[in-house]
Amino acid sequence: MGRFVIIIGMQWGDEGKGKIVDLLTSARPPWPDSRVDTMPAIRSSSAVARPFSRSYLRHPARGVQCLIGNGVVLSLEALFREADMLRAEGVPVFERLRISPACPLILPSHVVLDRAREAARGMNAIGTTGRGIGPAYEDKVARRAVRVADLFQRDRFAAKLGEVLDFHNFVLQRYFALPPVDFQRTLDEQLEYVERVRPLLCDVTGALSDLRTSGANVLFEGAQGAMLDVDVGTYPFVTSSNTTAGAPPPAPAWGRARSITCSVSSRPIRPRRRGPFPTELFDDDGEHLSRVGHEFGSVTGRRRRCGWFDAVALRRSIIHSSVSGLCVTKLDVLDGLETIRLCVGYRVGGETLPGPPLFADAYADVEPVYEEMPGWQDSTVGVREHHALPLNARRYLERIEQLLACHSI
């Protein structure tokens, strides 16, 4: 029987999930047979969560598929820009890529709205990428989204686009005092992609059901991190979709046959410039983590916020996603530190909490309770076997396993 494995990040994103996916998809013998994107948006190749894993699309086995599920809000312009770039490198993108027709589209007006809101918030800005993701999800939930399937009925597409642009332009003009997004230009731009999208359409749920019946191995790749989940994350400083293991939209297709592996950074980062981050560092250790880890946003260029490992937040994320195994990444960033700290509890008002505060606003008053461990001076770069790691590095990983009650793989 094949395995359906989910790879997700368990912190605030940028844990290094892509490295785990590339490792699995470049394995010999080839594994898996199919890969499903459950990410909230398709962005450019420079974005943190790339639409395509190069090693996966270069997978040596024939018949391998790369599926984009219906939970994805899709920018056709970004999709084909990256696809064309990869094809120029010899990657057989269109032979393997398939897309659910139920994917809502990210329109130019979504991008304008996203950036207008962030600018209007000033110092209270959420810190979005400005790619239109949030507004696109709003339209999806409000049942006014224009979806990929609509492209193939021109009159219907034009009517739906007109309705949604009327709403968007009303907000842009009346609330933000900005010029409207042109209807005809948007219509023409989206319709240009019709014939390129047509051969990529696929019943993703049906495909997954067939794969399970045939005993295939399937890899689901999530986006961002579990602490950015719109329901159980550090709201309102979250993304606009669900990022836990329950997020893959064609869930009935994989049912009970699943294994969930999370990617955990050896020290968390928070890409967004605002939002709670109890273990954030502002000292020399924080500068070390940022500099050695090259922690700068690939989309925004902003320096990412870095901090010590937070076992309290991770324990809650493990519960939310029923995690079965840990992949600890970026251990080498800790090389050379004399002392390493782990957050093992939160203290609020003199009381140590067993878990995260009940209300997200209370994170502002959290004082992390730390446990210190000796660091290591030897490099961990390129080490492939657990026993070859420095002794203190092995002890650090073992302590993480103890704190999280979950084994690393």
Side-chain angles (χ1 to χ4, degrees):
M1 181 177 180
R3 298 183 65 194
F4 278 35
V5 175
I6 307 170
I7 304 294
I8 55 175
M10 298 306 293
Q11 294 154 318
W12 287 279
D14 293 334
E15 297 91 350
K17 299 178 293 296
K19 295 179 181 178
I20 308 304
V21 172
D22 285 349
L23 178 66
L24 287 174
T25 56
S26 60
R28 300 292 187 275
W31 195 100
D33 302 294
S34 290
R35 171 175 171 265
V36 183
D37 278 300
T38 63
M39 61 185 69
I42 291 297
R43 294 176 277 177
S44 68
S45 60
S46 63
V48 174
R50 297 174 307 178
F52 310 123
S53 166
R54 283 168 171 76
S55 62
Y56 189 79
L57 287 168
R58 290 191 174 112
H59 203 297
R62 294 184 178 181
V64 172
Q65 296 174 293
C66 185
L67 308 175
I68 296 180
N70 50 276
V72 178
V73 288
L74 191 63
S75 167
L76 294 176
E77 184 273 332
L79 174 76
F80 286 108
R81 182 175 66 246
E82 176 155 358
D84 290 340
M85 180 190 68
L86 292 175
R87 289 182 67 210
E89 298 176 10
V91 179
V93 176
F94 297 132
E95 287 81 351
R96 294 183 168 179
L97 177 65
R98 294 296 179 265
I99 301 170
S100 169
C103 291
L105 295 176
I106 299 178
L107 302 170
S109 54
H110 290 132
V111 177
V112 178
L113 281 170
D114 195 359
R115 295 175 181 177
R117 289 175 182 171
E118 287 290 275
R121 289 188 181 110
M123 293 299 296
N124 294 318
I126 298 294
T128 75
T129 59
R131 300 299 180 97
I133 297 169
Y137 272 113
E138 289 177 30
D139 283 349
K140 172 188 173 181
V141 174
R143 301 185 295 274
R144 60 172 172 259
V146 180
R147 307 204 294 181
V148 171
D150 296 321
L151 289 167
F152 303 94
Q153 300 179 55
R154 190 186 189 285
D155 291 343
R156 173 180 172 143
F157 178 74
K160 293 187 67 173
L161 179 64
E163 290 178 5
V164 76
L165 276 185
D166 282 346
F167 175 72
H168 291 173
N169 285 333
F170 178 86
V171 176
L172 288 172
Q173 293 176 282
R174 301 295 183 88
Y175 189 82
F176 293 111
L178 292 173
V181 174
D182 185 72
F183 166 78
Q184 191 61 49
R185 178 177 178 180
T186 303
L187 177 66
D188 293 341
E189 288 176 348
Q190 298 302 307
L191 290 177
E192 285 180 2
Y193 296 111
V194 168
E195 295 309 317
R196 299 195 74 184
V197 171
R198 192 187 300 276
L200 305 179
L201 296 185
C202 170
D203 175 8
V204 172
T205 299
L208 289 173
S209 180
D210 292 342
L211 287 166
R212 185 176 66 172
T213 300
S214 66
N217 294 315
V218 178
L219 173 65
F220 292 81
E221 181 184 0
Q224 302 189 32
M227 296 300 291
L228 292 177
D229 186 278
V230 69
D231 288 313
V232 297
T234 48
Y235 191 90
F237 300 100
V238 294
T239 191
S240 300
S241 62
N242 294 110
T243 55
T244 57
W254 47 276
R256 293 172 296 176
R258 66 175 183 172
S259 174
I260 303 170
T261 302
C262 74
S263 174
V264 176
S265 175
S266 58
R267 80 295 170 275
I269 59 177
R270 176 140 196 162
R272 296 170 186 263
R273 61 176 178 267
R274 289 183 56 82
F277 191 178
T279 67
E280 184 173 6
L281 293 171
F282 302 94
D283 56 10
D284 290 343
D285 287 334
E287 192 279 332
H288 170 94
L289 298 179
S290 177
R291 173 176 48 81
V292 177
H294 306 289
E295 297 299 352
F296 294 89
S298 56
V299 173
T300 64
R302 293 192 299 259
R303 177 175 172 175
R304 295 172 180 146
R305 301 158 64 191
C306 299
W308 293 120
F309 182 87
D310 188 339
V312 181
L314 261 295
R315 282 195 292 265
R316 184 54 56 93
S317 290
I318 287 173
I319 293 172
H320 287 150
S321 292
S322 301
V323 169
S324 58
L326 306 174
C327 294
V328 181
T329 62
K330 306 182 183 181
L331 187 68
D332 58 302
V333 178
L334 301 179
D335 293 352
L337 292 176
E338 293 290 338
T339 302
I340 296 173
R341 308 178 85 185
L342 301 93
C343 175
V344 296
Y346 289 166
R347 186 178 294 115
V348 179
E351 178 186 0
T352 300
L353 304 178
L358 184 60
F359 302 108
D361 292 347
Y363 272 98
D365 302 318
V366 163
E367 176 188 353
V369 178
Y370 285 116
E371 185 176 286
E372 293 189 347
M373 298 186 68
W376 55 89
Q377 301 305 307
D378 295 333
S379 174
T380 60
V381 176
V383 176
R384 294 182 175 271
E385 302 292 338
H386 183 270
H387 66 81
L389 289 169
L391 176 61
N392 287 343
R394 298 200 302 271
R395 288 174 173 170
Y396 176 72
L397 294 176
E398 290 164 2
R399 183 56 180 149
I400 288 177
E401 291 182 326
Q402 293 170 359
L403 290 169
L404 301 183
C406 191
H407 71 282
S408 58
I409 56 176

